[in-house]
Each structure stands twice: as C-alpha cells, then as structure tokens.
Amino acid sequence: MSEGALDRTTRPGLWYAVPAMVFFGLFALVPLVFVVVLSFTHWNGLGDPQAAGLDNWQRIAADPTVLDSLRITVVLGVVCWLVQTPLSLLLGVWAAGHQRNRAVLSAVFFLPLLLSGAAVAIAWRSLLDPNFGLASVLGPLVGIPDGNLLGSGTSALMVIVVIVAWQFVPFHTLLYQAAARRIPQQLYEAARMDGANRLHQFRHITLPQLRNTIITSSLLMVVGSLTYFETILIVTDGGPGRATEVLPFRMYEAGFRSYEMGYGAAIASALVLIGTLLSLVMVRFSGFSKMRSTLEGL
Amino acid sequence: MTEFMLGRRRFMTASAAGLAVLGLAACGGGSDPTRDGATVWSLEDPVHNPIQEAAIEAFNQGASSRFRLETFANTAYAQRLRVSMGTPNAPSVFFNWGGASIRSYVEVDQVADLTDRLAADAAWRDSFLPAVLDAGRIDDRNYGIPLRGMQPVVLFYHTELFAENDLRPPANWAELLDLVDRFQAIGVTPFALAGSESWTQLMWLEYLVDRLGGEQVFERISAGEEGAWGDPAMIGALDRIGELVERGAFGTNFSSVNYGAGGASTLFAMGDAAMHLMGTWEYPNQLDQQPAFARDALGWTTFPVLEDGDGDPSAVVGNPTNYFSVNSAAADVEAAVEFLREHMNSDAYVDALIAAGDVPAITGLEDRLSTSPNAEYALFIYEMVQSAAAFTPSWDQALPPEVARIMLTTLQEVFLGERDAAGFVEVLESGT
C-alpha cells in the first residue's frame, strides 16, 4: 500500500469511472431511491401512488408471513453456505493442481455455470416429477420412497439447496482455484522438507492462504442467498404451502400477485437493509476490511 | 455494427424491464417508433394466435384504423399489462379473465364500458351465451367480449380402466368414495392431481362448496360478506377434501406433481390414475400429447351429486371464457369496439375456434358443433354450460388478487394435512 506514493506510472483519472458511475447511478441508485419512496405509499400499480406514511413498514413488523419468510431465508442461506463452501473449496484446490484429466473434468464441473438459472430450474422441475422423473430414483435414497421430494416443507427446501449448489458451486470453485494457484510453491516445498503430509499441508498452508477468498466467497454466498428467487418460483412456487417462501419471493407475491406495490417495495427495502448490514458485519468481524495480506513475511 | 446494435437494444430492453419492475415504466421508455400502430394484446398460444391474427387482418382491410397483434407468455402477461396501462405503450384491446382480473382497471376508468353499446345492438349481445357474457360483468356493467371457448371444469375418466374393472363413473358421493377404494385396491391412483400448483386443488373446493351450499356461498364470499368463509358448506367441503386425501384418493405424492410440465395429465393418460378433475383444456392437451389415449380411452362426465347438498347438481364451475376489453384511453376506442363487434362472433372466427377444439360461447351452435371433428365432446360441453343452473367463475380469478393468493396457499396446506377446515376459515377470515 505504501508503495503507491512511489509509483510513477500514470494512473487513470477519475473521469475513467464516469460511465460506470452514470450507469450505476441510473440503474442502481435512482431505482433504489424510488423503491424506498414507494415503500411509503399504497399503490396497486394503476393510477397514482397514495402516501401511506409508515403503514407498510409497520405491517412488515407485524406480518407473520414476512417473519416466516425471513426465517426460511436464513435457514436457506446457512444451509447453502454449509453445503457449498466445503465442496467448492475442495474442488477449487483440486482443480488448481496438475492431475491427469483435470482440465477435462474441470470443464465439466463448470458447465452448470453457463446455463441460465431459469433453464436449470425448468430442467430440475421435470426431473423432480415423482412418477416420471429422477425423483422416483433419488427419493428412496433419502428415505422418500414415493419420490415426493417437493411434497414436504423440509425436503422441498433441501431440493432448493441442492439445485442452488449445483448451479453456484462452479463459480465459487473458480474463485478457490484462482486463489489456490497463487499460493507460493516454496511454502509447500518447505513443508515437505519438514515432513508435512498432504493433510498437514492443506490445513496449515492452503487453508490459511485462502482466508481472504473464503471470506469473499462466503460474502457472495450469504448476500446472494438473499436474492434466491427464480429457482424457487419455477421449482416450488413457494410451496408446498409456504415452506419455501423466502423473502424475495414474498416481495414478488406482495408486488406482483397481490398488487400491493408499496408493501412489496417496503419488503424490498428491508432486504437491501439486511443485505447491507450483513455485509458490513461479515467484513468487520472477519478482519477483511484491514486487507491484511496472506503473503506477509514472504 | 449490427452486433453492437443488437447488444445495445438488448441492454436497453433489459434496462427498461428493470425500470418497469420498479414501477418506472412511464419514464423507462422502450417504445419503438418503427412499430407504430394500435395493438391487440393476447396470450401466446399457437392455436389461437393465428385465428386472432386472421380476424385482425380481416378488420384492417376495410378500416381506417389498423391493429396489430402482440402476444405474451401467460406468466408475464398480467404484470406486463399492469405496468403498461396508462403509458403510451398500452394496448387498445387486451385479453383478460374478466372479474377481479380487471376490476382495479375499471375502478380507475381504464376500461371502456360496453354496456350501452351492447344494449343498443341486441343482435350483437344475443349472439353470446348470456351466462358467459354476464360472468364477465363488473357491478352489472359489461367490460368484456368473449374471445374464445368456454372452460368449465369437467370430470375426465379413463374409459378402458373403468371397463376392465367393470366400473362406471361416480354419480354421487358414495360412489365416488367406493371408486377410491376400488382403484386403490388394484394399485391405481383414483384421481390424478397436480398438487404442486394449488389452482388444481381449488377446482375440488369450488365444486364441493357449490354442490353442498349452492352458488350463493361463493357469491357471499366474493361480495366480501363478513363470516362468508365460515359457511357450513365451506367447512363440509374442506372436511371432505381431508377425507379424500386421507383415503388416498390422490395417491401419496400428488404435491410434487405438476400440471404445466404434464405430470398429472401423463399419469392419467398412462392409466396410472383413473380420473382427472380439470378444465376443458385437458381435452385438446391430451389430443396433442397422447392422441391415442384421447381418441380411445378418454371419457368425460359431470361432477357427482352430493345427496345431502343444497346446490343444484347442474351448476358448473370454471372459467366462463376469456375476454377482450377495450382500453378507454386508447386513441381509437370506436375502432376497437367495431373490431370486437364485427369479428368476435363472425362465422369465420367461430368456425376456426370450433376447428381448433374450442367450444365458443356463441348461441345456436348445435349444428355447427355436431359436424366438428370432436362433435361428441364439444356438444357435451355446450349442453352442460347451456343447461347449467349457475356458472361460478374460478375463485382465484373472481376474488381480489391478495385474497386469491392467501386462499391458494392455505388450501394447499389443507391438502397437505397441515391445516383443517377451521384453520382454513380462520386464515381466510383474518386475511393474512
């Protein structure tokens, strides 16, 4: 960091950032402001919004379905993180190596990343038909002999976890692969000379060296879990009952099924708040904000 | 250059869509000056779009105003319409489901009132079946003209399965329960049910309530009467649903079965389920997907009678039809009305609908239906609606959207066994 002052190369001026700032302002900040404003109105999408004061916000606080949705969102986020992090970490570290067929297998692993979320969800929905789909084969393996995977709240939620993992593990694997490749080889050489086996090397070199990547990836996963929507819309439609009704889905229902745009906007604003708070907390308590390098002392 | 243009256009469309979602459609733009002209909005549908296209074409020949058909996928249509109304991109004529689907537009005067025009042209008015035309009324005013066939809910059954086991379709509740046990005993699911989509379950509730308490029960509910959800007929219907689920009438894994992807219809066509309570669209769907089954083994009948019920057993539930309505803010309201007057009951239009397997809501069709390729079925539906004591529109279309949403979710919980009749009524009465 302190080298910056000595760096003589011309740095891009602030005006390089203008196009990006304009687009960010126009397509992120302006709509955000409008949504917040909308959250203080009653509006069914037709005619003019009516000022509503704090109505929508008070309703959120007292609405049991919103609290339920928040709980489901948290459960989904935590389970998704627990499933995806070890998988993508191990895959990423493996994919950073030089094994035979690694490139081919990596390419196969990355395929889901190239498909649109909606296409993935539609394909899975067909696979999950209990009579004609894969569910009749998969169900018995997890103790559901009639393939009724979408029929109970818990199993439907787990189905969403599996689909989301299938879709996003490749992305996080990519992050870990890139990070693992940047770990200096001399660390491993030194460790081998000291007689460390592969497990030791992984635990004492790879994992600590990947610390920042784990934080980045976790941040993306956790904040991303606040936006899970299209998979749920297509595969379970929030069901059975309300079992997979996450907060973004509840927002969609309020705005576009009940046509309570103001209430939907309030839920959306609450989501933005939660997402921002969550990122701040994670960055602060992980020490990520200090930007401490993992290469100190090398 | 072309690549750049395409990229940019896509980007602009995406951005406009993004803004539209946030309720900024009016400033979002997205109108394309090269595609000027008034539009008729309809659902994307390979069968009906060419028929609508032909009618518009015919109208454009002789008129000063020219219309153009624009179609949208079912799932996005209602949102698109809502966002576009009141903007320069709004259609002149638009497809809708009548009832609550356009009530909020009527409340802000965005739909042209057709009542006086229909009254002034009795021949036009009387060409439509009154029950169907009336089902599209809001506060006793007409806003919609039927644009396609009627879609009452019918009890379909697998004739081969019934013949093999020497059974006949249920005429009353006792027979229905008996059939549930018999089909269970031979390992056949009695009723196919696409329970991952709750509107399929709603058909059961609609018919049971109607048979038990008559059409007044739902009329009181849709009028917003205090305590209407707690009607004894509602409790009785929900209890019967619980009884059916417990008896295994729908199998064990129905809540994972979908309708859109063909799960329930295929189960039925393969003979793994004996009966299917579904809208009339099941017939053309089966014709298209399982033609051999549709020709040889697809039977249909009315919903059974409930002996202890007060409802008229001839009453039907379902979608009376879909309607075209006119945007009152359109530049060419008179031309739009003229289009509906000339073409929605024209011989060419009605014949094309019949040929496609639809049963149009037009009076005096017996002769034309009896020479159609699906005469037996078409006549059954036509007679059924004509002789119906009442035609209760699908509740999820007739109720305000926020109530419909709660009703569907809660009903799904009843089918899952997570809620009983009292619990259902409590949720609907409290409205959360």
Side-chain angles (χ1 to χ4, degrees):
Chain A
M1 269 297 171
S2 56
E3 278 175 342
L6 301 171
D7 195 345
R8 295 286 182 98
T9 46
T10 346
R11 283 168 175 267
L14 192 65
W15 56 272
Y16 272 80
V18 167
M21 305 270 272
V22 166
F23 275 97
F24 181 72
L26 211 59
F27 295 114
L29 291 182
V30 172
L32 185 64
V33 170
F34 269 90
V35 167
V36 172
V37 171
L38 203 57
S39 76
F40 295 101
T41 65
H42 287 309
W43 191 41
N44 70 359
L46 299 169
D48 296 322
Q50 308 294 319
L54 290 172
D55 277 10
N56 292 320
W57 288 91
Q58 279 162 352
R59 191 175 152 194
I60 284 189
D63 186 342
T65 66
V66 167
L67 295 179
D68 247 4
S69 299
L70 185 61
R71 184 185 53 80
I72 295 166
T73 309
V74 170
V75 170
L76 193 63
V78 169
V79 179
C80 279
W81 183 84
L82 285 175
V83 169
Q84 290 183 53
T85 302
L87 266 178
S88 43
L89 187 100
L90 290 175
L91 271 173
V93 171
W94 175 81
H98 300 283
Q99 305 85 340
R100 185 193 289 254
N101 297 332
R102 183 200 58 80
V104 176
L105 282 173
S106 296
V108 173
F109 289 146
F110 291 139
L111 265 181
L113 197 56
L114 305 176
L115 306 174
S116 91
V120 166
I122 289 172
W124 274 91
R125 191 183 58 174
S126 298
L127 284 176
L128 289 169
D129 187 287
N131 302 302
F132 308 106
L134 211 56
S136 53
V137 184
L138 292 178
L141 301 180
V142 293
I144 303 177
D146 59 357
N148 195 17
L149 287 170
L150 299 176
S152 93
T154 320
S155 62
L157 207 58
M158 289 311 117
V159 163
I160 299 294
V161 169
V162 169
I163 299 176
V164 168
W166 187 82
Q167 201 182 349
F168 289 112
V169 159
F171 170 74
H172 296 280
T173 301
L174 208 58
L175 290 183
Y176 284 115
Q177 182 195 24
R181 285 208 172 138
R182 293 192 52 221
I183 302 174
Q185 284 304 309
Q186 60 262 42
L187 289 177
Y188 292 105
E189 282 160 24
R192 275 198 292 275
M193 272 181 211
D194 290 341
N197 64 25
R198 297 190 71 162
L199 202 65
H200 285 131
Q201 290 176 29
F202 180 79
R203 206 177 130 207
H204 295 290
I205 300 175
T206 312
L207 267 188
Q209 289 286 322
L210 290 179
R211 190 176 57 101
N212 286 343
T213 312
I214 294 173
I215 296 168
T216 309
S217 157
S218 302
L219 203 66
L220 289 173
M221 270 182 215
V222 171
V223 177
S225 73
L226 295 177
T227 65
Y228 292 151
F229 174 69
E230 80 270 29
T231 310
I232 291 173
L233 178 74
I234 294 169
V235 177
T236 65
D237 200 28
R242 287 211 155 94
T244 54
E245 213 176 90
V246 290
L247 216 41
F249 190 88
R250 184 70 188 83
M251 168 189 84
Y252 168 80
E253 275 202 332
F256 293 99
R257 289 208 174 145
S258 301
Y259 296 117
E260 297 171 312
M261 298 283 181
Y263 192 44
I267 301 177
S269 312
L271 262 171
V272 171
L273 270 178
I274 295 172
T276 313
L277 279 177
L278 216 58
S279 326
L280 288 177
V281 167
M282 284 180 71
V283 165
R284 184 173 173 91
F285 287 98
S286 60
F288 192 59
S289 54
K290 296 193 191 90
M291 283 291 172
R292 193 159 57 83
S293 168
T294 47
L295 295 180
E296 266 170 60
L298 277 176
Chain B
M1 189 62 193
T2 37
E3 256 185 60
F4 168 72
M5 294 294 286
L6 186 71
R8 184 184 153 274
R9 200 160 67 210
R10 272 210 197 125
F11 175 73
M12 292 304 281
T13 318
S15 316
L19 284 176
V21 165
L22 293 156
L24 289 173
C27 358
S31 69
D32 188 340
T34 59
R35 303 188 63 201
D36 219 8
T39 52
V40 175
W41 278 22
S42 185
L43 284 194
E44 212 172 276
D45 174 349
V47 176
H48 292 96
N49 292 156
I51 301 174
Q52 293 156 355
E53 196 94 59
I56 292 172
E57 201 57 42
F59 177 77
N60 285 348
Q61 297 291 331
S64 55
S65 241
R66 295 179 66 80
F67 288 104
R68 182 166 47 80
L69 184 70
E70 266 185 17
T71 62
F72 302 89
N74 195 349
T75 45
Y77 180 78
Q79 284 98 321
R80 286 293 286 268
L81 183 67
R82 189 158 286 249
V83 171
S84 86
M85 284 302 252
T87 77
N89 298 320
S92 298
V93 176
F94 61 95
F95 174 104
N96 62 76
W97 293 267
S101 78
I102 59 164
R103 178 174 282 278
S104 51
Y105 297 89
V106 170
E107 280 164 2
V108 291
D109 291 327
Q110 285 189 333
V111 193
D113 186 341
L114 303 174
T115 322
D116 298 336
R117 293 181 170 93
L118 280 163
D121 187 348
W124 183 34
R125 185 193 62 203
D126 296 341
S127 66
F128 301 104
L129 292 180
V132 177
L133 198 59
D134 286 355
R137 285 167 78 103
I138 293 167
D139 300 334
D140 290 332
R141 309 293 293 174
N142 288 86
Y143 296 95
I145 300 298
L147 76 97
R148 58 164 299 181
M150 303 175 286
Q151 300 154 348
V153 174
V154 176
L155 182 59
F156 291 96
Y157 66 99
H158 198 297
T159 55
E160 278 173 9
L161 269 180
F162 274 77
E164 277 165 22
N165 297 286
D166 204 18
L167 297 168
R168 55 195 185 87
N172 56 45
W173 188 250
E175 286 182 25
L176 185 143
L177 290 182
D178 182 50
L179 283 172
V180 168
D181 296 342
R182 281 167 185 262
F183 279 114
Q184 277 232 306
I186 56 169
V188 171
T189 306
F191 291 96
L193 178 67
S196 72
E197 295 158 64
S198 189
W199 56 265
T200 60
Q201 303 170 332
L202 181 62
M203 293 174 171
W204 281 93
L205 185 64
E206 287 164 353
Y207 257 131
L208 286 170
V209 167
D210 196 275
R211 288 286 187 272
L212 283 174
E215 81 255 33
Q216 302 83 355
V217 180
F218 182 68
E219 280 171 6
R220 283 197 290 272
I221 289 171
S222 64
E225 255 178 54
E226 188 90 9
W229 285 102
D231 193 286
M234 181 68 64
I235 307 277
L238 289 160
D239 284 345
R240 278 182 165 78
I241 285 172
E243 186 185 357
L244 285 177
V245 172
E246 223 160 272
R247 266 193 195 230
F250 309 108
T252 57
N253 57 17
F254 62 87
S255 46
S256 294
V257 176
N258 53 65
Y259 189 79
S265 298
T266 314
L267 198 69
F268 177 44
M270 308 272 276
D272 292 329
M275 292 169 273
H276 194 189
L277 186 68
M278 193 34 72
T280 50
W281 56 83
E282 175 78 357
Y283 183 81
N285 279 359
Q286 292 287 5
L287 265 185
D288 187 52
Q289 300 294 318
Q290 313 274 353
F293 164 69
R295 268 197 317 273
D296 306 332
L298 181 57
W300 48 82
T301 183
T302 50
F303 193 83
V305 175
L306 265 59
E307 299 93 332
D308 53 341
D310 297 331
D312 188 316
S314 75
V316 293
V317 307
N319 302 341
T321 188
N322 299 121
Y323 302 88
F324 267 144
S325 294
V326 175
N327 177 358
S328 60
D332 40 19
V333 170
E334 291 314 314
V337 173
E338 210 44 45
F339 165 64
L340 297 182
R341 190 201 308 277
E342 283 177 24
H343 290 282
M344 290 303 103
N345 57 4
S346 75
D347 286 351
Y349 189 78
V350 171
D351 284 340
L353 285 180
I354 295 174
D358 248 8
V359 185
I362 303 285
T363 44
L365 275 191
E366 286 86 352
D367 291 347
R368 281 151 89 184
L369 287 174
S370 58
T371 54
S372 76
N374 311 303
E376 202 187 335
Y377 172 73
L379 280 171
F380 168 79
I381 301 295
Y382 194 66
E383 305 288 332
M384 178 175 161
V385 175
Q386 275 210 308
S387 60
F391 196 143
T392 299
S394 298
W395 296 2
D396 52 346
Q397 305 290 356
L399 291 172
E402 68 272 20
V403 180
R405 181 185 62 76
I406 296 168
M407 174 185 67
L408 288 173
T409 313
T410 315
L411 180 61
Q412 200 170 35
E413 290 170 346
V414 171
F415 271 85
L416 286 169
E418 291 171 1
R419 245 183 233 283
D420 59 6
F424 177 90
V425 170
E426 192 189 314
V427 170
L428 270 296
E429 284 291 330
S430 74
T432 48

